[in-house]
């Protein structure tokens, strides 16, 4: 089922990890509609591929993505963007079952920052520069920037960023918990780390991994009581899997588990 992509690259640095590289270098990976169509297409494919246990999305050293494509948007009318629910296809990534790691170097601005925020884990290189500069264009973030940042870093910081349009550094992103960590310097380091993390995640039982991702994501949607209830029910449900029997038996027998994802 080979498919040719033009605005992204799909590789398999290790058999269990899909590496998606945004590839519009001349436009600093501006997220045009055709690029997003390709991204959604490839995400659907990798989500269905039983061999793949984790996905890494990255850009170039200079830019993860410099935002939605301003040139594509600039002449659009209200009737068109509202009528077509412009950008609604950006949310597909949030329904992918497999863990997605954003490996961010360089600019992650506007929609690029929002794309990273839609991933499950963000690793940043020291060169990463985040920001929601939409206010400078006479608009506001439109793919979750105001909501996901507010839930992650709080109201005051989010207000400052979104109202001033100023960028924030990898160090700030780490301090505020936007990224899980900043990796060492060096070209390709952040992708290497993300692939290694993806490979580690992919070595676990896939049913438990899916349940874990679902449970953590619930923390953003529900009250604590509801979230705890949902978590416990998912936990109970895993006792119906072979992987639970195998994982606990392996511990008791002091050996490595051999998960069969069943
Ligand atoms: C279209 C873009 C672009 C974008 C860069 N380019 N960002 N094209 N949309 N978002 C293009 C430039 O026009 C230029 O094309 C080429 O990429 C290189 O960019 P330069 O500006 O020459 O590079 P540099 O001087 O290094 O500056 C880098 C930069 C700057 C600081 C990242 O490009 C920049 O400010 N970009 C826009 C960032 C932004 O405002 N993003 C938010 C977009 S709105 P040419 O043809 O001239 O060589 C948004 C809304 C999201 O994301 C809403 C919901 C999704």
């Amino acid at each position: 089922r080979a498919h040719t992509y033009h605005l992204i690259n799909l590789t398999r640095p290790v058999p269990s990890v899909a590496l998606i590289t945004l590839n519009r270098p001349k436009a600093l990976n501006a997220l045009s509609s055709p690029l997003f169509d390709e991204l959604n297409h490839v995400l659907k494919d990798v989500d269905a591929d039983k061999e793949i246990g984790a996905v890494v999305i990255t850009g170039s050293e200079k830019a993860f993505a410099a935002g939605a494509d301003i040139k594509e948007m600039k002449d659009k009318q209200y009737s068109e963007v509202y009528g077509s629910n412009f950008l609604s296809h950006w949310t597909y990534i949030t329904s992918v079952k497999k863990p997605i790691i954003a490996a961010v170097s360089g600019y992650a601005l506007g929609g690029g920052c929002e794309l990273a925020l839609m991933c499950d884990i963000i690793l940043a290189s020291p060169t990463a520069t985040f920001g929601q500069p939409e206010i400078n264009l006479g608009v506001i973030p439109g793919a979750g920037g105001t909501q996901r940042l507010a839930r992650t870093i709080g109201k005051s910081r989010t207000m400052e960023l979104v109202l001033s349009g100023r960028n924030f550094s990898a160090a700030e992103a780490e301090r505020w918990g936007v990224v899980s960590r900043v990796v060492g310097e060096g070209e390709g380091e952040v992708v290497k780390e993300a692939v290694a993390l993806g490979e580690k995640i992919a070595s676990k039982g896939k049913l438990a991994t899916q349940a874990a991702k679902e449970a953590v994501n619930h923390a953003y949607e529900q009250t604590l009581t509801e979230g705890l209830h949902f978590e416990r029910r998912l936990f109970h449900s895993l006792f119906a899997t072979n992987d639970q029997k195998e994982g606990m038996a392996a511990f008791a027998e002091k050996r490595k588990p051999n998960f069969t994802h069943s």
Side-chain angles (χ1 to χ4, degrees):
R1 217 146 52 94
H3 192 273
T4 311
Y5 299 104
H6 305 283
L7 304 169
I8 58 175
N9 284 324
L10 172 64
T11 57
R12 294 278 281 279
V14 294
S16 63
V17 178
L19 172 61
I20 301 170
T21 306
L22 308 178
N23 186 28
R24 274 190 87 196
K26 286 192 182 125
L28 303 183
N29 292 328
L31 301 163
S32 61
S33 293
L35 188 154
F36 243 96
D37 287 343
E38 289 193 5
L39 182 60
N40 287 345
H41 191 287
V42 78
L43 284 170
K44 194 163 181 225
D45 270 2
V46 301
D47 209 21
D49 187 327
K50 288 199 162 56
E51 238 192 286
I52 294 172
V55 183
V56 174
I57 300 182
T58 195
S60 66
E61 291 292 324
K62 177 156 188 200
F64 178 74
D69 190 322
I70 300 167
K71 292 164 192 170
E72 179 185 284
M73 281 187 294
K74 72 185 198 18
D75 296 320
K76 285 194 190 295
Q77 301 300 322
Y78 171 77
S79 58
E80 192 183 346
V81 294
Y82 179 67
S84 68
N85 203 2
F86 178 56
L87 298 182
S88 60
H89 68 309
W90 279 45
T91 56
Y92 176 74
I93 188 170
T94 63
S95 68
V96 170
K97 299 188 298 290
K98 291 177 183 168
I100 304 178
I101 304 164
V104 178
S105 290
Y107 295 113
L109 301 179
C113 187
E114 292 169 305
L115 172 60
L117 291 168
M118 281 191 273
C119 296
D120 299 309
I121 300 171
I122 307 176
L123 296 187
S125 93
T127 66
T129 300
F130 300 87
Q132 298 291 162
E134 288 90 343
I135 201 79
N136 300 323
L137 301 168
V139 292
I140 68 170
T146 64
Q147 303 304 298
R148 289 198 175 88
L149 276 179
R151 282 164 199 236
T152 307
I153 69 176
K155 174 174 162 176
S156 185
R157 288 177 188 133
T158 303
M159 283 288 189
E160 184 192 332
L161 295 171
V162 170
L163 297 179
S164 74
R166 85 150 167 101
N167 293 342
F168 58 106
S169 66
E172 284 174 308
E174 183 177 43
R175 190 153 21 95
W176 296 342
V178 173
V179 306
S180 65
R181 61 196 156 91
V182 179
V183 306
E185 296 175 31
E187 202 173 318
E189 190 67 21
V190 73
V191 174
K192 223 171 74 192
E193 287 280 338
V195 170
L197 176 59
E199 191 174 23
K200 179 163 200 173
I201 290 169
S203 72
K204 318 293 180 188
K206 289 194 174 58
L207 294 171
T209 298
Q210 184 179 333
K213 171 169 168 167
E214 225 185 322
V216 174
N217 277 331
H218 242 63
Y220 292 94
E221 307 283 351
Q222 305 288 334
T223 63
L224 181 60
T225 303
E226 284 298 316
L228 291 170
H229 183 76
F230 182 73
E231 180 195 69
R232 183 163 310 142
R233 289 291 177 252
L234 277 178
F235 173 76
H236 292 159
S237 74
L238 291 168
F239 285 74
T241 67
N242 294 322
D243 285 348
Q244 175 266 332
K245 301 289 174 292
E246 169 62 12
M248 293 190 183
F251 175 83
E253 292 160 21
K254 301 188 191 296
R255 60 173 175 84
K256 278 212 157 110
N258 176 27
F259 292 124
T260 51
H261 318 297
S262 60

